[in-house]
Amino acid sequence: DAGITQSPRHKVTETGTPVTLRCHQTENHRYMYWYRQDPGHGLRLIHYSYGVKDTDKGEVSDGYSVSRSKTEDFLLTLESATSSQTSVYFCATSWVSYEQYFGPGTRLTVT
Amino acid sequence: DAKTTQPTSMDCAEGRAANLPCNHSTISGNEYVYWYRQIHSQGPQYIIHGLKNNETNEMASLIITEDRKSSTLILPHATLRDTAVYYCIVRDVSSGSARQLTFGSGTQLTVLP
């Protein structure tokens, strides 16, 4: 498996506070993705990146922003967290083969 | 990307082969069949993919019908650790750009001791 770590693994925050989740990879994969997983909705793409400083929106991007200043790091920011953003967040990476490798996930609770 | 249909759940005895079907009757010529699985509380894991030929790797075999409208993932000797939700995904990779994977509901495979 690709070396993908996510931090933090668990976070509880209050409504209205900013939150940043980090994804770090050691495989030099070009593409990186942020998904969220909720009961009844499966995995949904939030944002993805196809290179340093190159990002694009996914299916559920409202309320989220991303940044990728280095190949190995992809940050997901919730500018002002809401309860609807309580979820499990997964980062994934891939190279040209389109086989995505997922990180262990971050469980975020917004109270 | 073509829509897929999978059974909601299946059981398999430990040590026996697990055969997970997937229907993708609207698949087009450029679309590959991918299989992922998700063990409880973990991130999804890539298993295998194929276009039209049968494929085998250390984890599983993928059998695609000649008309490509359905496929079967085979875990040859299921273990308790194979209990997971299995997702069949059809995806057009001809564009050359990064695209999301669309995970449906998948099949909950339970391997019984």
Side-chain angles (χ1 to χ4, degrees):
Chain A
D1 290 339
I4 304 171
T5 56
Q6 293 185 229
S7 59
R9 293 293 313 280
H10 302 271
K11 186 170 182 67
V12 180
T13 192
E14 294 183 349
T15 298
T17 59
V19 177
T20 296
L21 308 182
R22 180 181 183 239
C23 178
H24 179 78
Q25 57 131 337
T26 59
E27 298 296 316
N28 202 34
H29 284 175
R30 176 182 177 187
Y31 300 103
M32 298 186 74
Y33 314 79
W34 276 107
Y35 290 85
R36 61 178 289 176
Q37 186 169 35
D38 306 287
H41 290 280
L43 276 144
R44 294 179 291 175
L45 183 69
I46 304 171
H47 282 280
Y48 67 94
S49 169
Y50 45 95
V52 173
K53 298 192 190 312
D54 292 323
T55 65
D56 206 347
K57 296 179 179 180
E59 179 187 0
V60 290
S61 60
D62 287 348
Y64 302 94
S65 62
V66 291
S67 65
R68 191 169 177 200
S69 58
K70 298 185 290 185
T71 298
E72 57 266 35
D73 289 327
F74 193 32
L75 304 180
L76 177 71
T77 298
L78 291 67
E79 302 291 346
S80 177
T82 67
S83 58
S84 65
Q85 294 175 312
T86 291
S87 187
V88 180
Y89 291 85
F90 289 102
C91 172
T93 73
S94 68
W95 192 230
V96 292
S97 61
Y98 303 104
E99 299 157 19
Q100 294 187 17
Y101 297 91
F102 285 78
T106 294
R107 186 172 296 275
L108 176 66
T109 302
V110 183
T111 60
Chain B
D1 295 332
K3 179 180 170 59
T4 62
T5 303
Q6 298 177 253
T8 302
S9 63
M10 296 180 62
D11 293 339
C12 175
E14 188 177 19
R16 304 295 294 269
N19 296 279
L20 293 98
C22 180
N23 182 285
H24 31 79
S25 58
T26 61
I27 193 170
S28 67
N30 293 326
E31 291 179 315
Y32 283 71
V33 180
Y34 283 77
W35 283 84
Y36 283 75
R37 72 180 182 183
Q38 187 172 22
I39 296 169
H40 182 62
S41 297
Q42 297 182 21
Q45 178 187 23
Y46 163 81
I47 302 173
I48 198 168
H49 75 280
L51 182 62
K52 53 184 177 181
N53 297 321
N54 298 337
E55 303 288 343
T56 296
N57 63 21
E58 65 278 4
M59 289 183 67
S61 295
L62 174 60
I63 309 298
I64 303 174
T65 58
E66 191 169 345
D67 64 7
R68 301 187 67 237
K69 293 185 176 182
S70 65
S71 60
T72 300
L73 178 74
I74 301 172
L75 308 178
H77 305 285
T79 71
L80 299 179
R81 288 176 294 180
D82 292 320
T83 291
V85 178
Y86 287 78
Y87 297 97
C88 170
I89 300 165
V90 173
R91 186 158 179 239
D92 183 354
V93 298
S94 62
S95 65
S97 61
R99 290 181 62 189
Q100 70 180 81
L101 293 174
T102 302
F103 287 78
S105 300
T107 297
Q108 171 66 57
L109 174 69
T110 302
V111 180
L112 304 172

